Amino acid sequence: MLAATRTFAGPPDRVVLADPDPELRHAVESVLAPWRLVVVIEASPPGDDARAFTRAERAGARFVVWREGDQLVVFDRDRKLSERRPARAGSFDPVTAAGAALSVKTMMRLPPPPPPTATNDTSPGIVAPPPPPPQTVSGGIELRIEAGIAARVAGGSDAGPGGRALFAVMLRPTSDLGLRIGARADLGTEVTIDRSGFKGGWSDWAVLAAVSWTIARGPWELEPYLAGGVTRGTLDGTEMSTARTETATSATFRGGAAGRRRFGLFSAGLGVELATTPGAPTYTRMTMGMGTPSVFEAPSFSVVIGINLAADLGR
């Protein structure tokens, strides 16, 4: 009896099926019925093993099943590994769905099913109760905190190349979608100026609202984004031995993309951003009698290339 108990204690009673195909759902429920497993339905695939592990923990399941193109994927939470088998892309018919469900059962490596009990005995005179209905679990909220360093190359200005520090906080309302909304910020190194009698420097920082969309393929992610906000530049120094400090605030717009490699809750990668500031100011000489020569022209267009690190909380 003890040996039998150990044999049939086996897996937990839940499997997450992250595929809305009705034929596959029916086939998986039928194939797994002898093990009395509850199939929990989710609308979208997790995309990688780290997300699959999170979904399995949230649903109290051992296995997560989904498709990646023409590959059928089964993730085992206990082993923290996934297996793949060829499968049909697109909608299943009953025959192909049955074959896929058998592949799922094989990859799960289930022990022998438990013996029939009084509640599921199909002998004459006893009616087995219907299997429990599938359950749907929606993805949770995720918060991404990001930081990075980058180089900026400004066009049509006196700024030249410079360094940038990058920060972002992005909220993902549900892990079932790639949509993120939040805020981005950056600040740059000071540009040294010695022109037209002015000696000093210019620096700027920006704060922007942003929206992005994450496209995941296994551990790899591509995240294009758009952002808009304000940039504030400060000119500070001396002009003809007279102190001069001047600030200007302008609207700025950004567009870019980041490519990342995920390591559990953390990710690292490269990003490219195009920035435009239509109202970027041009600072001119303040003293009279020598015309109005240019002291410094702030960048109205720039390209930013850098590396970033991010942590996703709530995965």
Side-chain angles (χ1 to χ4, degrees):
M1 291 179 63
L2 180 59
T5 301
R6 290 177 178 175
T7 300
F8 298 119
D13 61 354
R14 287 179 171 228
V15 176
V16 174
L17 177 60
D19 191 313
D21 189 287
E23 292 292 346
L24 180 61
R25 178 192 306 180
H26 176 72
V28 169
E29 290 172 349
S30 298
V31 166
L32 300 182
W35 287 266
R36 298 193 286 274
L37 298 176
V38 176
V39 178
V40 180
I41 305 301
E42 291 196 355
S44 61
D48 57 44
D49 288 2
R51 288 196 180 97
F53 183 84
T54 301
R55 293 195 185 186
E57 284 196 324
R58 186 173 63 234
R62 175 177 173 182
F63 301 102
V64 181
V65 182
W66 74 95
R67 275 187 290 172
E68 290 182 0
D70 59 353
Q71 295 286 311
L72 187 65
V73 187
V74 173
F75 175 79
D76 188 332
R77 187 184 71 172
D78 288 357
R79 296 189 299 135
K80 297 183 175 62
L81 292 174
S82 61
E83 291 190 39
R84 286 166 169 78
R85 296 282 178 89
R88 176 175 178 172
S91 299
F92 282 112
D93 56 41
V95 175
T96 55
L102 290 174
S103 295
V104 168
K105 185 189 72 170
T106 301
M107 287 188 282
M108 286 181 176
R109 293 181 170 84
L110 296 172
T117 64
T119 57
N120 63 3
D121 192 349
T122 55
S123 58
I126 300 178
V127 179
Q135 302 181 17
T136 300
V137 176
S138 60
I141 296 175
E142 295 178 6
L143 180 67
R144 168 169 289 173
I145 300 175
E146 181 182 338
I149 55 175
R152 178 175 71 177
V153 179
S157 77
D158 301 321
R164 308 293 292 177
L166 312 174
F167 307 95
V169 177
M170 303 294 290
L171 180 68
R172 189 176 188 178
T174 171
S175 59
D176 292 335
L177 297 176
L179 176 69
R180 285 185 169 91
I181 54 175
R184 303 182 68 87
D186 61 81
L187 56 92
T189 55
E190 185 176 77
V191 179
T192 301
I193 305 170
D194 187 356
R195 179 190 292 179
S196 303
F198 178 88
K199 291 184 178 182
W202 178 86
S203 61
D204 69 321
W205 54 265
V207 177
L208 309 96
V211 59
S212 70
W213 188 272
T214 301
I215 304 168
R217 291 294 182 270
W220 298 96
E221 290 185 352
L222 177 65
E223 184 182 8
Y225 64 87
L226 294 173
V230 296
T231 182
R232 186 171 179 85
T234 301
L235 183 79
D236 185 48
T238 59
E239 185 176 304
M240 303 299 290
S241 302
T242 302
R244 178 182 177 183
T245 299
E246 190 173 342
T247 60
T249 302
S250 307
T252 186
F253 305 95
R254 313 283 177 87
R260 296 188 178 88
R261 173 65 162 85
R262 178 162 295 286
F263 304 92
L265 300 181
F266 302 94
S267 60
L270 301 174
V272 178
E273 178 182 271
L274 303 180
T276 179
T277 306
T282 297
Y283 301 91
T284 58
R285 187 183 177 95
M286 300 291 289
T287 56
M288 303 296 292
M290 298 183 65
T292 55
S294 173
V295 171
F296 180 79
E297 182 182 1
S300 59
F301 176 80
S302 60
V303 179
V304 179
I305 303 175
I307 59 176
N308 58 74
L309 300 173
D312 288 336
L313 308 180
R315 287 173 60 85

